[in-house]
Amino acid sequence: MTTIFSKIVQGEIPAEIVYQDEWVTAFRDIHPQAPVHILIVPNIEIPTVNDLTEEDVIVAGRLLWTAKLLAKQEGIAADGYRLMINCNRHGGQEVFHLHLHLLGGRPLGPMLAR
Ligand code: AMP
């Protein structure tokens, strides 16, 4: 099954892509929760963190590396930002194509709602 994020990676549906290389694609979240809200996804379909294999270690590292590059590019590196990955039901995952949220541009408050 092709995910909506795979369709974005392949250019089949529109998105505001801010970065793409052979491993990952990054685009702005359609419902931003902060002034900067970017999703960084592997170009290959990996549904959840639970599905990562040792062969995916490089692509998983590239998610983090891309977040670092984009935080600088977006001008939020010095003030800081949050990186988040939701997994399955308790994590609140909605799209089953692994993605790293990069959030910033304002103080983000406590990590979880109290
Ligand atoms: P999660 O709850 O971690 O699975 O987050 C899924 C995220 O994908 C949400 O923040 C959505 O707003 C975002 N999203 C869903 N569809 C699209 C889309 N077509 N383009 C950009 N972001 C999307």
Side-chain angles (χ1 to χ4, degrees), residues 5 27-31 39 86 92-95 99 101:
F5 289 174
F27 50 91
R28 295 197 193 277
D29 196 291
I30 205 165
H31 295 125
L39 303 175
N86 296 321
Q93 185 173 3
E94 290 171 359
V95 179
H99 50 283
H101 295 255

Side-chain angles (χ1 to χ4, degrees), residues 1 3 5 8 10-11 14 17 20 27 35 40 44 48 88 95-96 100:
M1 217 171 72
T3 67
F5 289 174
I8 289 173
Q10 284 150 28
I17 293 178
Q20 189 162 44
F27 50 91
I40 308 163
I44 56 166
T48 78
N88 280 346
V95 179
F96 287 83
L100 178 62

Side-chain angles (χ1 to χ4, degrees), residues 44-77:
I44 56 166
E45 283 187 15
I46 302 168
T48 78
V49 171
N50 289 341
D51 300 299
L52 282 169
T53 68
E54 206 169 348
E55 278 155 30
D56 300 321
V57 162
I58 291 190
V59 77
R62 294 296 301 193
L63 296 177
L64 199 54
W65 175 248
T66 305
K68 179 225 153 137
L69 297 180
L70 290 177
K72 182 157 190 245
Q73 187 176 298
E74 295 286 318
I76 60 171

Side-chain angles (χ1 to χ4, degrees), residues 2-28 39-46 59 63 95 97-99:
T2 302
T3 67
I4 192 163
F5 289 174
S6 278
K7 289 184 177 156
I8 289 173
V9 167
Q10 284 150 28
E12 289 169 11
I13 62 167
E16 194 182 339
I17 293 178
V18 292
Y19 180 87
Q20 189 162 44
D21 63 22
E22 67 179 288
W23 295 283
V24 304
T25 300
F27 50 91
R28 295 197 193 277
L39 303 175
I40 308 163
V41 312
N43 292 341
I44 56 166
E45 283 187 15
I46 302 168
V59 77
L63 296 177
V95 179
H97 183 136
L98 180 64
H99 50 283

